[in-house]
C-alpha cells in the first residue's frame, strides 16, 4: 500500500491536485482536514493498481481512410 497526503492553501487547489492523481490509481481515504496551513486530503493506492496503470497502452491516433473518386 502507498499513502499520500495532499496539502493545499484552499479547497479549489486541493480539488485540482487530487483530481490529477485519480487516473494514476489513487483513491480518497477519509475526509478533508482543515488546519492552519489550509486543507489536506489523504489518498491511498495499492501497488497492483500502480502496475495496472503502466500496462494499459495509450490509445493510438487512428488515421481516417478516405476513398478518392476519380
Amino acid at each position: 500500500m502507498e499513502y499520500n497526503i495532499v496539502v493545499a492553501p484552499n479547497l479549489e487547489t486541493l480539488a485540482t491536485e487530487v483530481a490529477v492523481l485519480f487516473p494514476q490509481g489513487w483513491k480518497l481515504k477519509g475526509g478533508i482536514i482543515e488546519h492552519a496551513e489550509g486543507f489536506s486530503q489523504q489518498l491511498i493506492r495499492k501497488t497492483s493498481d500502480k502496475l495496472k496503470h503502466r500496462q494499459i497502452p495509450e490509445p493510438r491516433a487512428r488515421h481516417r481512410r478516405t476513398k478518392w473518386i476519380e
Side-chain angles (χ1 to χ4, degrees):
M1 285 284 194
E2 292 180 289
Y3 296 92
N4 190 2
I5 298 176
V6 178
V7 179
N10 58 41
L11 287 173
E12 185 177 345
T13 306
L14 180 68
T16 303
E17 291 182 20
V18 169
V20 170
L21 297 173
F22 280 144
Q24 299 172 9
W26 291 97
K27 297 183 181 178
L28 299 176
K29 181 179 181 193
I32 296 172
I33 300 171
E34 184 177 4
H35 48 80
E37 297 177 19
F39 299 90
S40 62
Q41 174 71 56
Q42 186 176 8
L43 300 156
I44 190 168
R45 173 171 70 175
K46 294 181 182 177
T47 308
S48 61
D49 293 343
K50 181 179 174 182
L51 297 174
K52 286 179 187 176
H53 177 68
R54 288 184 182 174
Q55 292 176 354
I56 298 172
E58 294 184 16
R60 295 181 182 174
R62 293 185 180 184
H63 296 286
R64 184 174 259 187
R65 294 184 182 192
T66 57
K67 294 181 180 180
W68 295 93
I69 301 173
E70 294 181 7

Short mmCIF file of all heavy atoms in Angstrom, two decimals:
data_model
loop_
_atom_site.label_atom_id
_atom_site.label_comp_id
_atom_site.label_asym_id
_atom_site.label_seq_id
_atom_site.Cartn_x
_atom_site.Cartn_y
_atom_site.Cartn_z
N MET A 1 0.84 -1.18 0.00
CA MET A 1 0.00 0.00 0.00
C MET A 1 0.88 1.24 0.00
O MET A 1 1.89 1.30 0.67
CB MET A 1 -0.88 0.06 1.24
CG MET A 1 -2.02 -0.87 1.23
SD MET A 1 -3.30 -0.23 0.17
CE MET A 1 -4.61 -1.25 0.67
N GLU A 2 0.42 2.23 -0.75
CA GLU A 2 1.09 3.52 -0.76
C GLU A 2 0.13 4.56 -0.20
O GLU A 2 -1.08 4.47 -0.43
CB GLU A 2 1.46 3.92 -2.19
CG GLU A 2 2.51 3.08 -2.83
CD GLU A 2 2.81 3.55 -4.24
OE1 GLU A 2 1.95 3.35 -5.11
OE2 GLU A 2 3.88 4.15 -4.43
N TYR A 3 0.67 5.51 0.53
CA TYR A 3 -0.13 6.58 1.10
C TYR A 3 0.42 7.91 0.62
O TYR A 3 1.62 8.06 0.42
CB TYR A 3 -0.09 6.53 2.63
CG TYR A 3 -0.72 5.28 3.18
CD1 TYR A 3 0.03 4.15 3.44
CD2 TYR A 3 -2.09 5.24 3.44
CE1 TYR A 3 -0.56 2.99 3.93
CE2 TYR A 3 -2.68 4.09 3.93
CZ TYR A 3 -1.91 2.97 4.18
OH TYR A 3 -2.50 1.84 4.66
N ASN A 4 -0.47 8.88 0.45
CA ASN A 4 -0.08 10.20 0.00
C ASN A 4 -0.99 11.21 0.68
O ASN A 4 -2.18 10.97 0.85
CB ASN A 4 -0.22 10.30 -1.52
CG ASN A 4 0.38 11.56 -2.08
OD1 ASN A 4 0.95 12.37 -1.36
ND2 ASN A 4 0.24 11.73 -3.38
N ILE A 5 -0.40 12.33 1.10
CA ILE A 5 -1.19 13.40 1.69
C ILE A 5 -0.97 14.65 0.85
O ILE A 5 0.16 15.08 0.66
CB ILE A 5 -0.80 13.66 3.16
CG1 ILE A 5 -1.07 12.41 3.99
CG2 ILE A 5 -1.57 14.85 3.70
CD1 ILE A 5 -0.62 12.52 5.42
N VAL A 6 -2.07 15.20 0.35
CA VAL A 6 -2.01 16.41 -0.46
C VAL A 6 -2.39 17.58 0.44
O VAL A 6 -3.44 17.56 1.08
CB VAL A 6 -2.97 16.32 -1.66
CG1 VAL A 6 -2.95 17.60 -2.47
CG2 VAL A 6 -2.61 15.12 -2.53
N VAL A 7 -1.53 18.59 0.49
CA VAL A 7 -1.79 19.79 1.28
C VAL A 7 -1.91 20.97 0.33
O VAL A 7 -1.08 21.14 -0.57
CB VAL A 7 -0.64 20.03 2.29
CG1 VAL A 7 -0.90 21.29 3.10
CG2 VAL A 7 -0.47 18.83 3.20
N ALA A 8 -2.96 21.78 0.51
CA ALA A 8 -3.19 22.94 -0.36
C ALA A 8 -3.72 24.11 0.47
O ALA A 8 -4.36 23.89 1.50
CB ALA A 8 -4.18 22.57 -1.45
N PRO A 9 -3.48 25.33 0.01
CA PRO A 9 -3.93 26.50 0.76
C PRO A 9 -5.44 26.75 0.72
O PRO A 9 -5.99 27.37 1.60
CB PRO A 9 -3.18 27.66 0.11
CG PRO A 9 -2.85 27.18 -1.26
CD PRO A 9 -2.67 25.70 -1.15
N ASN A 10 -6.12 26.22 -0.33
CA ASN A 10 -7.57 26.40 -0.42
C ASN A 10 -8.20 25.15 -1.04
O ASN A 10 -7.52 24.28 -1.58
CB ASN A 10 -7.94 27.66 -1.20
CG ASN A 10 -7.37 27.66 -2.60
OD1 ASN A 10 -7.38 26.64 -3.28
ND2 ASN A 10 -6.86 28.80 -3.03
N LEU A 11 -9.52 25.07 -0.96
CA LEU A 11 -10.23 23.88 -1.44
C LEU A 11 -10.14 23.70 -2.94
O LEU A 11 -10.07 22.57 -3.44
CB LEU A 11 -11.69 23.94 -1.01
CG LEU A 11 -11.95 23.70 0.49
CD1 LEU A 11 -13.41 23.96 0.81
CD2 LEU A 11 -11.56 22.29 0.87
N GLU A 12 -10.14 24.78 -3.68
CA GLU A 12 -10.08 24.68 -5.14
C GLU A 12 -8.75 24.05 -5.58
O GLU A 12 -8.73 23.17 -6.44
CB GLU A 12 -10.24 26.06 -5.77
CG GLU A 12 -10.29 26.04 -7.28
CD GLU A 12 -10.53 27.42 -7.86
OE1 GLU A 12 -10.93 28.34 -7.14
OE2 GLU A 12 -10.30 27.55 -9.07
N THR A 13 -7.66 24.47 -4.99
CA THR A 13 -6.35 23.92 -5.32
C THR A 13 -6.26 22.46 -4.89
O THR A 13 -5.72 21.63 -5.62
CB THR A 13 -5.23 24.74 -4.62
OG1 THR A 13 -5.40 26.11 -4.97
CG2 THR A 13 -3.87 24.27 -5.05
N LEU A 14 -6.82 22.15 -3.73
CA LEU A 14 -6.81 20.76 -3.25
C LEU A 14 -7.57 19.86 -4.23
O LEU A 14 -7.08 18.79 -4.60
CB LEU A 14 -7.45 20.68 -1.87
CG LEU A 14 -7.51 19.30 -1.24
CD1 LEU A 14 -6.11 18.80 -0.90
CD2 LEU A 14 -8.38 19.31 0.00
N ALA A 15 -8.73 20.30 -4.67
CA ALA A 15 -9.53 19.51 -5.62
C ALA A 15 -8.79 19.29 -6.92
O ALA A 15 -8.82 18.18 -7.48
CB ALA A 15 -10.87 20.20 -5.87
N THR A 16 -8.10 20.29 -7.40
CA THR A 16 -7.34 20.17 -8.66
C THR A 16 -6.20 19.18 -8.52
O THR A 16 -6.00 18.32 -9.38
CB THR A 16 -6.79 21.55 -9.08
OG1 THR A 16 -7.87 22.47 -9.19
CG2 THR A 16 -6.05 21.46 -10.39
N GLU A 17 -5.47 19.27 -7.41
CA GLU A 17 -4.33 18.37 -7.20
C GLU A 17 -4.77 16.93 -7.01
O GLU A 17 -4.14 16.00 -7.50
CB GLU A 17 -3.51 18.85 -6.00
CG GLU A 17 -2.78 20.15 -6.27
CD GLU A 17 -1.92 20.60 -5.10
OE1 GLU A 17 -1.58 19.76 -4.25
OE2 GLU A 17 -1.57 21.78 -5.06
N VAL A 18 -5.87 16.73 -6.30
CA VAL A 18 -6.39 15.37 -6.08
C VAL A 18 -6.91 14.79 -7.39
O VAL A 18 -6.70 13.61 -7.69
CB VAL A 18 -7.48 15.38 -4.99
CG1 VAL A 18 -8.21 14.06 -4.93
CG2 VAL A 18 -6.86 15.69 -3.63
N ALA A 19 -7.57 15.60 -8.21
CA ALA A 19 -8.11 15.12 -9.49
C ALA A 19 -7.01 14.63 -10.42
O ALA A 19 -7.23 13.70 -11.20
CB ALA A 19 -8.92 16.23 -10.16
N VAL A 20 -5.84 15.22 -10.34
CA VAL A 20 -4.71 14.80 -11.18
C VAL A 20 -4.24 13.40 -10.78
O VAL A 20 -3.77 12.63 -11.62
CB VAL A 20 -3.56 15.83 -11.06
CG1 VAL A 20 -2.30 15.31 -11.71
CG2 VAL A 20 -3.97 17.14 -11.68
N LEU A 21 -4.40 13.04 -9.52
CA LEU A 21 -3.91 11.74 -9.03
C LEU A 21 -4.87 10.58 -9.28
O LEU A 21 -4.45 9.43 -9.26
CB LEU A 21 -3.58 11.85 -7.53
CG LEU A 21 -2.47 12.84 -7.18
CD1 LEU A 21 -2.36 12.98 -5.67
CD2 LEU A 21 -1.15 12.41 -7.77
N PHE A 22 -6.15 10.85 -9.51
CA PHE A 22 -7.12 9.77 -9.73
C PHE A 22 -6.76 8.85 -10.89
O PHE A 22 -6.85 7.64 -10.75
CB PHE A 22 -8.53 10.33 -9.92
CG PHE A 22 -9.22 10.69 -8.63
CD1 PHE A 22 -10.05 11.80 -8.58
CD2 PHE A 22 -9.06 9.94 -7.49
CE1 PHE A 22 -10.69 12.13 -7.41
CE2 PHE A 22 -9.70 10.28 -6.31
CZ PHE A 22 -10.52 11.38 -6.27
N PRO A 23 -6.37 9.35 -12.05
CA PRO A 23 -6.04 8.45 -13.17
C PRO A 23 -4.84 7.55 -12.89
O PRO A 23 -4.64 6.56 -13.56
CB PRO A 23 -5.73 9.40 -14.33
CG PRO A 23 -6.37 10.68 -13.98
CD PRO A 23 -6.36 10.76 -12.48
N GLN A 24 -4.05 7.88 -11.86
CA GLN A 24 -2.87 7.08 -11.52
C GLN A 24 -3.20 5.99 -10.51
O GLN A 24 -2.31 5.33 -10.00
CB GLN A 24 -1.78 8.00 -10.96
CG GLN A 24 -1.33 9.03 -11.95
CD GLN A 24 -0.40 10.05 -11.32
OE1 GLN A 24 0.03 9.90 -10.18
NE2 GLN A 24 -0.09 11.08 -12.05
N GLY A 25 -4.48 5.79 -10.20
CA GLY A 25 -4.90 4.72 -9.31
C GLY A 25 -5.10 5.13 -7.86
O GLY A 25 -5.41 4.30 -7.02
N TRP A 26 -4.97 6.40 -7.53
CA TRP A 26 -5.14 6.88 -6.16
C TRP A 26 -6.63 6.98 -5.84
O TRP A 26 -7.43 7.32 -6.68
CB TRP A 26 -4.49 8.23 -5.97
CG TRP A 26 -3.00 8.20 -6.00
CD1 TRP A 26 -2.20 8.48 -7.07
CD2 TRP A 26 -2.12 7.82 -4.94
NE1 TRP A 26 -0.89 8.32 -6.72
CE2 TRP A 26 -0.80 7.92 -5.42
CE3 TRP A 26 -2.31 7.42 -3.63
CZ2 TRP A 26 0.31 7.62 -4.64
CZ3 TRP A 26 -1.20 7.13 -2.85
CH2 TRP A 26 0.09 7.23 -3.35
N LYS A 27 -6.99 6.67 -4.55
CA LYS A 27 -8.36 6.76 -4.08
C LYS A 27 -8.38 7.53 -2.77
O LYS A 27 -7.41 7.50 -2.01
CB LYS A 27 -8.96 5.37 -3.88
CG LYS A 27 -9.04 4.61 -5.18
CD LYS A 27 -9.67 3.27 -5.02
CE LYS A 27 -9.67 2.59 -6.39
NZ LYS A 27 -10.21 1.28 -6.36
N LEU A 28 -9.49 8.21 -2.51
CA LEU A 28 -9.62 9.01 -1.30
C LEU A 28 -9.68 8.11 -0.06
O LEU A 28 -10.27 7.05 -0.08
CB LEU A 28 -10.88 9.86 -1.35
CG LEU A 28 -10.96 10.88 -2.47
CD1 LEU A 28 -12.31 11.57 -2.44
CD2 LEU A 28 -9.85 11.89 -2.37
N LYS A 29 -9.07 8.57 1.02
CA LYS A 29 -9.15 7.88 2.29
C LYS A 29 -9.50 8.92 3.34
O LYS A 29 -8.74 9.85 3.58
CB LYS A 29 -7.84 7.20 2.66
CG LYS A 29 -7.94 6.46 3.98
CD LYS A 29 -6.68 5.77 4.35
CE LYS A 29 -6.91 5.05 5.66
NZ LYS A 29 -5.70 4.59 6.26
N GLY A 30 -10.66 8.78 3.94
CA GLY A 30 -11.08 9.75 4.94
C GLY A 30 -11.63 11.02 4.31
O GLY A 30 -11.88 11.08 3.12
N GLY A 31 -11.78 12.03 5.14
CA GLY A 31 -12.34 13.29 4.68
C GLY A 31 -11.28 14.37 4.56
O GLY A 31 -10.11 14.16 4.86
N ILE A 32 -11.72 15.54 4.17
CA ILE A 32 -10.83 16.69 4.05
C ILE A 32 -10.59 17.24 5.45
O ILE A 32 -11.52 17.40 6.24
CB ILE A 32 -11.44 17.76 3.14
CG1 ILE A 32 -11.59 17.21 1.73
CG2 ILE A 32 -10.62 19.03 3.14
CD1 ILE A 32 -12.36 18.10 0.80
N ILE A 33 -9.35 17.56 5.74
CA ILE A 33 -8.99 18.08 7.06
C ILE A 33 -8.57 19.54 6.89
O ILE A 33 -7.76 19.88 6.04
CB ILE A 33 -7.83 17.26 7.67
CG1 ILE A 33 -8.27 15.82 7.83
CG2 ILE A 33 -7.40 17.86 9.00
CD1 ILE A 33 -7.15 14.89 8.23
N GLU A 34 -9.15 20.41 7.74
CA GLU A 34 -8.79 21.83 7.73
C GLU A 34 -7.78 22.08 8.85
O GLU A 34 -7.95 21.60 9.97
CB GLU A 34 -10.03 22.69 7.94
CG GLU A 34 -9.76 24.16 7.84
CD GLU A 34 -11.01 25.00 7.97
OE1 GLU A 34 -12.09 24.44 8.22
OE2 GLU A 34 -10.91 26.23 7.84
N HIS A 35 -6.71 22.81 8.54
CA HIS A 35 -5.68 23.11 9.53
C HIS A 35 -5.10 24.49 9.25
O HIS A 35 -5.56 25.19 8.34
CB HIS A 35 -4.59 22.03 9.55
CG HIS A 35 -4.08 21.67 8.20
ND1 HIS A 35 -3.16 22.41 7.52
CD2 HIS A 35 -4.41 20.62 7.38
CE1 HIS A 35 -2.91 21.83 6.36
NE2 HIS A 35 -3.66 20.77 6.24
N ALA A 36 -4.09 24.88 10.02
CA ALA A 36 -3.53 26.24 9.91
C ALA A 36 -2.96 26.55 8.54
O ALA A 36 -3.02 27.68 8.07
CB ALA A 36 -2.44 26.42 10.97
N GLU A 37 -2.41 25.56 7.84
CA GLU A 37 -1.80 25.78 6.53
C GLU A 37 -2.81 25.70 5.38
O GLU A 37 -2.46 25.90 4.23
CB GLU A 37 -0.69 24.76 6.30
CG GLU A 37 0.46 24.88 7.27
CD GLU A 37 1.51 23.81 7.08
OE1 GLU A 37 1.54 23.19 5.99
OE2 GLU A 37 2.28 23.59 8.02
N GLY A 38 -4.03 25.34 5.67
CA GLY A 38 -5.05 25.23 4.63
C GLY A 38 -5.87 23.97 4.79
O GLY A 38 -6.47 23.73 5.83
N PHE A 39 -5.84 23.13 3.77
CA PHE A 39 -6.62 21.90 3.76
C PHE A 39 -5.73 20.74 3.31
O PHE A 39 -4.76 20.93 2.58
CB PHE A 39 -7.80 22.02 2.79
CG PHE A 39 -8.76 23.12 3.16
CD1 PHE A 39 -8.58 24.40 2.66
CD2 PHE A 39 -9.81 22.88 4.01
CE1 PHE A 39 -9.45 25.42 2.99
CE2 PHE A 39 -10.69 23.89 4.35
CZ PHE A 39 -10.51 25.17 3.85
N SER A 40 -6.10 19.52 3.74
CA SER A 40 -5.34 18.35 3.31
C SER A 40 -6.30 17.17 3.09
O SER A 40 -7.39 17.13 3.64
CB SER A 40 -4.27 17.97 4.33
OG SER A 40 -4.85 17.63 5.56
N GLN A 41 -5.84 16.24 2.27
CA GLN A 41 -6.61 15.04 1.94
C GLN A 41 -5.65 13.87 1.84
O GLN A 41 -4.61 13.98 1.20
CB GLN A 41 -7.33 15.22 0.60
CG GLN A 41 -8.03 13.98 0.09
CD GLN A 41 -9.26 13.63 0.91
OE1 GLN A 41 -10.14 14.44 1.07
NE2 GLN A 41 -9.31 12.42 1.43
N GLN A 42 -5.99 12.76 2.49
CA GLN A 42 -5.15 11.57 2.41
C GLN A 42 -5.65 10.68 1.28
O GLN A 42 -6.85 10.51 1.08
CB GLN A 42 -5.19 10.79 3.73
CG GLN A 42 -4.22 9.64 3.74
CD GLN A 42 -4.18 8.92 5.09
OE1 GLN A 42 -4.98 9.21 5.97
NE2 GLN A 42 -3.27 8.01 5.23
N LEU A 43 -4.70 10.11 0.53
CA LEU A 43 -5.01 9.22 -0.58
C LEU A 43 -4.30 7.90 -0.36
O LEU A 43 -3.27 7.82 0.33
CB LEU A 43 -4.53 9.84 -1.89
CG LEU A 43 -5.15 11.18 -2.23
CD1 LEU A 43 -4.25 11.97 -3.15
CD2 LEU A 43 -6.49 10.98 -2.87
N ILE A 44 -4.83 6.85 -0.95
CA ILE A 44 -4.26 5.51 -0.81
C ILE A 44 -4.25 4.85 -2.19
O ILE A 44 -5.12 5.09 -3.02
CB ILE A 44 -5.06 4.68 0.21
CG1 ILE A 44 -4.36 3.40 0.55
CG2 ILE A 44 -6.47 4.44 -0.25
CD1 ILE A 44 -4.96 2.68 1.75
N ARG A 45 -3.25 4.00 -2.42
CA ARG A 45 -3.15 3.27 -3.68
C ARG A 45 -2.50 1.93 -3.43
O ARG A 45 -1.50 1.84 -2.74
CB ARG A 45 -2.34 4.09 -4.69
CG ARG A 45 -2.04 3.36 -5.98
CD ARG A 45 -1.44 4.23 -7.03
NE ARG A 45 -0.08 4.62 -6.71
CZ ARG A 45 0.71 5.32 -7.52
NH1 ARG A 45 0.26 5.71 -8.68
NH2 ARG A 45 1.92 5.65 -7.17
N LYS A 46 -3.07 0.89 -4.02
CA LYS A 46 -2.46 -0.43 -3.95
C LYS A 46 -1.35 -0.50 -4.99
O LYS A 46 -1.46 0.09 -6.06
CB LYS A 46 -3.49 -1.52 -4.25
CG LYS A 46 -4.56 -1.64 -3.21
CD LYS A 46 -5.52 -2.74 -3.57
CE LYS A 46 -6.64 -2.84 -2.55
NZ LYS A 46 -7.61 -3.86 -2.92
N THR A 47 -0.31 -1.24 -4.70
CA THR A 47 0.80 -1.37 -5.64
C THR A 47 0.32 -2.01 -6.94
O THR A 47 0.78 -1.64 -8.01
CB THR A 47 1.92 -2.22 -5.02
OG1 THR A 47 2.24 -1.67 -3.74
CG2 THR A 47 3.16 -2.20 -5.88
N SER A 48 -0.62 -2.94 -6.85
CA SER A 48 -1.14 -3.58 -8.06
C SER A 48 -1.85 -2.58 -8.97
O SER A 48 -1.80 -2.70 -10.19
CB SER A 48 -2.08 -4.73 -7.70
OG SER A 48 -3.19 -4.25 -6.96
N ASP A 49 -2.53 -1.58 -8.39
CA ASP A 49 -3.19 -0.55 -9.20
C ASP A 49 -2.17 0.28 -9.95
O ASP A 49 -2.40 0.69 -11.09
CB ASP A 49 -4.03 0.37 -8.33
CG ASP A 49 -5.23 -0.33 -7.72
OD1 ASP A 49 -5.60 -1.42 -8.23
OD2 ASP A 49 -5.80 0.19 -6.75
N LYS A 50 -1.04 0.51 -9.32
CA LYS A 50 0.04 1.28 -9.95
C LYS A 50 0.58 0.51 -11.17
O LYS A 50 0.82 1.08 -12.22
CB LYS A 50 1.15 1.51 -8.93
CG LYS A 50 2.32 2.30 -9.43
CD LYS A 50 3.32 2.46 -8.29
CE LYS A 50 4.58 3.11 -8.73
NZ LYS A 50 5.56 3.23 -7.64
N LEU A 51 0.74 -0.80 -11.04
CA LEU A 51 1.26 -1.62 -12.13
C LEU A 51 0.25 -1.74 -13.26
O LEU A 51 0.61 -1.74 -14.42
CB LEU A 51 1.65 -3.00 -11.61
CG LEU A 51 2.79 -3.02 -10.59
CD1 LEU A 51 2.99 -4.42 -10.05
CD2 LEU A 51 4.07 -2.47 -11.17
N LYS A 52 -1.04 -1.84 -12.93
CA LYS A 52 -2.08 -1.93 -13.96
C LYS A 52 -2.09 -0.68 -14.82
O LYS A 52 -2.27 -0.74 -16.02
CB LYS A 52 -3.45 -2.11 -13.31
CG LYS A 52 -3.69 -3.47 -12.75
CD LYS A 52 -5.06 -3.54 -12.12
CE LYS A 52 -5.28 -4.84 -11.40
NZ LYS A 52 -6.56 -4.88 -10.69
N HIS A 53 -1.89 0.47 -14.19
CA HIS A 53 -1.89 1.74 -14.93
C HIS A 53 -0.77 1.76 -15.96
O HIS A 53 -0.93 2.26 -17.06
CB HIS A 53 -1.76 2.91 -13.97
CG HIS A 53 -1.69 4.24 -14.66
ND1 HIS A 53 -2.76 4.77 -15.33
CD2 HIS A 53 -0.69 5.12 -14.82
CE1 HIS A 53 -2.41 5.92 -15.85
NE2 HIS A 53 -1.15 6.16 -15.55
N ARG A 54 0.38 1.21 -15.63
CA ARG A 54 1.51 1.21 -16.56
C ARG A 54 1.29 0.25 -17.72
O ARG A 54 1.80 0.46 -18.80
CB ARG A 54 2.79 0.80 -15.83
CG ARG A 54 3.30 1.85 -14.89
CD ARG A 54 4.60 1.42 -14.30
NE ARG A 54 5.09 2.41 -13.36
CZ ARG A 54 6.15 2.26 -12.62
NH1 ARG A 54 6.84 1.15 -12.66
NH2 ARG A 54 6.53 3.20 -11.79
N GLN A 55 0.54 -0.82 -17.50
CA GLN A 55 0.36 -1.84 -18.53
C GLN A 55 -0.67 -1.44 -19.58
O GLN A 55 -0.69 -1.99 -20.66
CB GLN A 55 -0.05 -3.16 -17.89
CG GLN A 55 1.06 -3.77 -17.06
CD GLN A 55 0.60 -5.03 -16.34
OE1 GLN A 55 -0.57 -5.38 -16.39
NE2 GLN A 55 1.51 -5.70 -15.68
N ILE A 56 -1.53 -0.50 -19.27
CA ILE A 56 -2.57 -0.10 -20.20
C ILE A 56 -1.94 0.76 -21.30
O ILE A 56 -1.39 1.82 -21.02
CB ILE A 56 -3.69 0.70 -19.50
CG1 ILE A 56 -4.36 -0.18 -18.44
CG2 ILE A 56 -4.70 1.22 -20.52
CD1 ILE A 56 -5.35 0.58 -17.58
N PRO A 57 -1.97 0.29 -22.54
CA PRO A 57 -1.37 1.09 -23.62
C PRO A 57 -2.21 2.33 -23.91
O PRO A 57 -3.43 2.30 -23.81
CB PRO A 57 -1.35 0.14 -24.81
CG PRO A 57 -2.45 -0.82 -24.52
CD PRO A 57 -2.52 -0.95 -23.02
N GLU A 58 -1.55 3.37 -24.29
CA GLU A 58 -2.26 4.59 -24.64
C GLU A 58 -2.90 4.41 -26.01
O GLU A 58 -2.32 3.80 -26.90
CB GLU A 58 -1.29 5.77 -24.67
CG GLU A 58 -0.73 6.10 -23.31
CD GLU A 58 0.15 7.32 -23.35
OE1 GLU A 58 0.10 8.08 -24.34
OE2 GLU A 58 0.91 7.49 -22.40
N PRO A 59 -4.10 4.94 -26.19
CA PRO A 59 -4.76 4.78 -27.49
C PRO A 59 -3.98 5.51 -28.58
O PRO A 59 -3.50 6.62 -28.39
CB PRO A 59 -6.13 5.41 -27.28
CG PRO A 59 -5.99 6.27 -26.09
CD PRO A 59 -4.89 5.69 -25.26
N ARG A 60 -3.87 4.85 -29.69
CA ARG A 60 -3.15 5.43 -30.83
C ARG A 60 -4.12 6.25 -31.67
O ARG A 60 -5.30 5.95 -31.77
CB ARG A 60 -2.54 4.33 -31.69
CG ARG A 60 -1.48 3.56 -30.97
CD ARG A 60 -0.91 2.51 -31.89
NE ARG A 60 0.09 1.73 -31.18
CZ ARG A 60 0.68 0.67 -31.67
NH1 ARG A 60 0.37 0.25 -32.89
NH2 ARG A 60 1.57 0.01 -30.97
N ALA A 61 -3.59 7.26 -32.27
CA ALA A 61 -4.42 8.08 -33.16
C ALA A 61 -4.72 7.28 -34.42
O ALA A 61 -3.82 6.75 -35.06
CB ALA A 61 -3.69 9.37 -33.51
N ARG A 62 -5.98 7.17 -34.75
CA ARG A 62 -6.37 6.42 -35.94
C ARG A 62 -6.45 7.38 -37.11
O ARG A 62 -6.98 8.48 -37.01
CB ARG A 62 -7.72 5.76 -35.73
CG ARG A 62 -7.67 4.68 -34.70
CD ARG A 62 -9.00 3.98 -34.63
NE ARG A 62 -8.94 2.93 -33.63
CZ ARG A 62 -9.92 2.09 -33.41
NH1 ARG A 62 -11.04 2.18 -34.09
NH2 ARG A 62 -9.78 1.16 -32.49
N HIS A 63 -5.92 6.92 -38.21
CA HIS A 63 -5.99 7.71 -39.43
C HIS A 63 -7.29 7.36 -40.14
O HIS A 63 -7.61 6.19 -40.33
CB HIS A 63 -4.78 7.43 -40.32
CG HIS A 63 -3.49 7.83 -39.71
ND1 HIS A 63 -3.11 9.14 -39.60
CD2 HIS A 63 -2.50 7.12 -39.14
CE1 HIS A 63 -1.94 9.21 -39.01
NE2 HIS A 63 -1.54 7.99 -38.71
N ARG A 64 -7.98 8.37 -40.52
CA ARG A 64 -9.25 8.15 -41.20
C ARG A 64 -8.97 7.84 -42.67
O ARG A 64 -8.26 8.56 -43.35
CB ARG A 64 -10.09 9.41 -41.09
CG ARG A 64 -11.46 9.26 -41.68
CD ARG A 64 -12.25 10.49 -41.38
NE ARG A 64 -13.12 10.15 -40.27
CZ ARG A 64 -14.06 10.95 -39.82
NH1 ARG A 64 -14.21 12.14 -40.33
NH2 ARG A 64 -14.83 10.57 -38.84
N ARG A 65 -9.49 6.72 -43.11
CA ARG A 65 -9.31 6.32 -44.50
C ARG A 65 -10.39 6.98 -45.36
O ARG A 65 -11.55 6.99 -45.00
CB ARG A 65 -9.40 4.82 -44.65
CG ARG A 65 -8.28 4.11 -43.95
CD ARG A 65 -8.37 2.63 -44.19
NE ARG A 65 -7.32 1.95 -43.47
CZ ARG A 65 -6.99 0.69 -43.66
NH1 ARG A 65 -7.64 -0.03 -44.55
NH2 ARG A 65 -6.03 0.15 -42.98
N THR A 66 -9.96 7.49 -46.46
CA THR A 66 -10.92 8.10 -47.37
C THR A 66 -10.76 7.49 -48.75
O THR A 66 -9.68 7.10 -49.15
CB THR A 66 -10.70 9.62 -47.46
OG1 THR A 66 -9.37 9.86 -47.87
CG2 THR A 66 -10.95 10.30 -46.13
N LYS A 67 -11.85 7.39 -49.44
CA LYS A 67 -11.83 6.89 -50.80
C LYS A 67 -11.88 8.07 -51.75
O LYS A 67 -12.72 8.95 -51.61
CB LYS A 67 -13.03 5.97 -51.05
CG LYS A 67 -12.98 4.70 -50.25
CD LYS A 67 -14.18 3.83 -50.57
CE LYS A 67 -14.12 2.57 -49.76
NZ LYS A 67 -15.26 1.69 -50.02
N TRP A 68 -10.97 8.07 -52.65
CA TRP A 68 -10.94 9.14 -53.63
C TRP A 68 -11.64 8.70 -54.89
O TRP A 68 -11.39 7.63 -55.43
CB TRP A 68 -9.49 9.53 -53.94
CG TRP A 68 -8.82 10.09 -52.74
CD1 TRP A 68 -8.08 9.43 -51.82
CD2 TRP A 68 -8.90 11.43 -52.28
NE1 TRP A 68 -7.66 10.25 -50.84
CE2 TRP A 68 -8.16 11.50 -51.08
CE3 TRP A 68 -9.52 12.57 -52.74
CZ2 TRP A 68 -8.01 12.69 -50.37
CZ3 TRP A 68 -9.38 13.74 -52.02
CH2 TRP A 68 -8.63 13.79 -50.85
N ILE A 69 -12.54 9.53 -55.34
CA ILE A 69 -13.28 9.23 -56.56
C ILE A 69 -12.67 10.03 -57.70
O ILE A 69 -12.49 11.23 -57.61
CB ILE A 69 -14.77 9.59 -56.40
CG1 ILE A 69 -15.35 8.81 -55.23
CG2 ILE A 69 -15.53 9.34 -57.69
CD1 ILE A 69 -16.75 9.21 -54.88
N GLU A 70 -12.34 9.31 -58.77
CA GLU A 70 -11.73 9.99 -59.93
C GLU A 70 -12.76 10.38 -60.94
O GLU A 70 -13.76 9.80 -61.12
CB GLU A 70 -10.70 9.06 -60.58
CG GLU A 70 -9.54 8.80 -59.67
CD GLU A 70 -8.52 7.90 -60.33
OE1 GLU A 70 -8.62 7.58 -61.53
OE2 GLU A 70 -7.60 7.50 -59.64
#
